[in-house]
Amino acid sequence: GAVVSQHPSWVICKSGTSVKIECRSLDFQATTMFWYRQFPKQSLMLMATSNEGSKATYEQGVEKDKFLINHASLTLSTLTVTSAHPEDSSFYICSALDNQETQYFGPGTRLLVL
Amino acid sequence: SQQGEEDPQALSIQEGENATMNCSYKTSINNLQWYRQNSGRGLVHLILIRSNEREKHSGRLRVTLDTSKKSSSLLITASRAADTASYFCATDSNTGKLIFGQGTTLQVKP
């Protein structure tokens, strides 16, 4: 099946710093990628839709200035958590949509903000 | 906001038994998908069933969809210890976005 990678797999940072997470589709082109957040023992919550060549679409309650998304190419989307705080600590997962309606998920990035 | 509910929230069975998980959703859908997530890992796509389909099989997996009741079930037959994971249903309302259910945590005891 299709492969999606994320980098880094985990990151620890100090409060107030910014963290960039990369999501890459390795063997297919994805005009649309999605970013999710998952808190412990909870389900995935969609944060935003990343569209190549245009601005991301954010879900209600997600601050676009806090979570910057850049879909730089057909195989790369980045999520930057700006001025991270402890409450931003979570598991961030991206997915890439192929042309068969299937979303392929990355392995996730665990963020811990101290 | 979450689309719907899954039940049970947790399920513990012996190896070899069948496991059934249910998912309900609220709005009309284009398709419904089931995913598996091992602890602390990403999601693995299991099966997609379209709104005009009623049943689908893939190996030991059987998925049903009842659009009149807005519900779906996932049956894993002859379970194995390696099936231990969380299982999520997710619905696509033809927007490409997936809305996930709360998930069922399955434990298969050897």
Side-chain angles (χ1 to χ4, degrees):
Chain A
V3 178
V4 174
S5 70
Q6 279 185 242
H7 178 81
S9 56
W10 60 271
V11 57
I12 301 174
C13 69
K14 292 182 178 179
S15 186
T17 60
S18 294
V19 175
K20 180 186 282 189
I21 303 170
E22 293 185 349
C23 177
R24 294 181 185 271
S25 57
L26 299 183
D27 51 0
F28 66 102
Q29 293 183 331
T31 56
T32 303
M33 293 184 176
F34 300 91
W35 286 96
Y36 297 83
R37 182 167 55 183
Q38 185 180 31
F39 291 107
K41 298 189 186 303
Q42 294 188 24
S43 187
L44 279 74
M45 293 293 290
L46 179 64
M47 298 175 67
T49 302
S50 172
N51 304 295
E52 191 272 336
S54 64
K55 291 183 179 180
T57 306
Y58 291 81
E59 295 300 301
Q60 192 173 9
V62 178
E63 300 175 57
K64 62 180 181 180
D65 295 329
K66 171 78 172 176
F67 299 99
L68 301 179
I69 291 172
N70 182 22
H71 200 135
S73 73
L74 287 171
T75 59
L76 173 64
S77 175
T78 61
L79 168 70
T80 300
V81 183
T82 62
S83 187
H85 288 95
E87 58 266 30
D88 297 323
S89 298
S90 188
F91 192 51
Y92 291 87
I93 306 177
C94 73
S95 70
L97 186 66
D98 73 357
N99 58 5
Q100 301 294 322
E101 305 173 286
T102 300
Q103 285 190 34
Y104 292 94
F105 284 79
T109 296
R110 191 162 299 282
L111 170 64
L112 177 60
V113 184
L114 301 177
Chain B
S1 61
Q2 291 298 320
Q3 169 70 293
E5 304 290 327
E6 286 188 59
D7 80 272
Q9 289 188 339
L11 181 61
S12 181
I13 58 174
Q14 292 294 134
E15 205 166 28
E17 295 180 338
N18 296 341
T20 300
M21 290 160 264
N22 303 296
C23 165
S24 62
Y25 56 93
K26 297 176 181 174
T27 64
S28 60
I29 62 171
N30 182 48
N31 65 64
L32 185 145
Q33 304 181 37
W34 284 90
Y35 287 85
R36 184 184 73 210
Q37 183 181 35
N38 288 83
S39 181
R41 309 288 291 274
L43 272 71
V44 174
H45 183 259
L46 296 176
I47 200 164
L48 180 153
I49 186 166
R50 291 189 170 78
S51 59
N52 61 353
E53 297 176 309
R54 292 296 168 258
E55 188 170 314
K56 207 161 184 180
H57 296 254
S58 176
R60 294 184 295 113
L61 305 180
R62 172 176 167 256
V63 168
T64 63
L65 178 65
D66 187 338
T67 53
S68 67
K69 295 181 180 178
K70 291 186 167 56
S71 67
S72 174
S73 68
L74 169 67
L75 168 67
I76 303 174
T77 60
S79 64
R80 304 167 183 168
D83 294 329
T84 295
S86 291
Y87 292 82
F88 295 92
C89 68
T91 53
D92 176 1
S93 302
N94 207 26
T95 62
K97 296 181 186 180
L98 286 180
I99 305 299
F100 282 81
Q102 297 297 326
T104 295
T105 300
L106 173 66
Q107 181 184 26
V108 181
K109 299 176 183 177

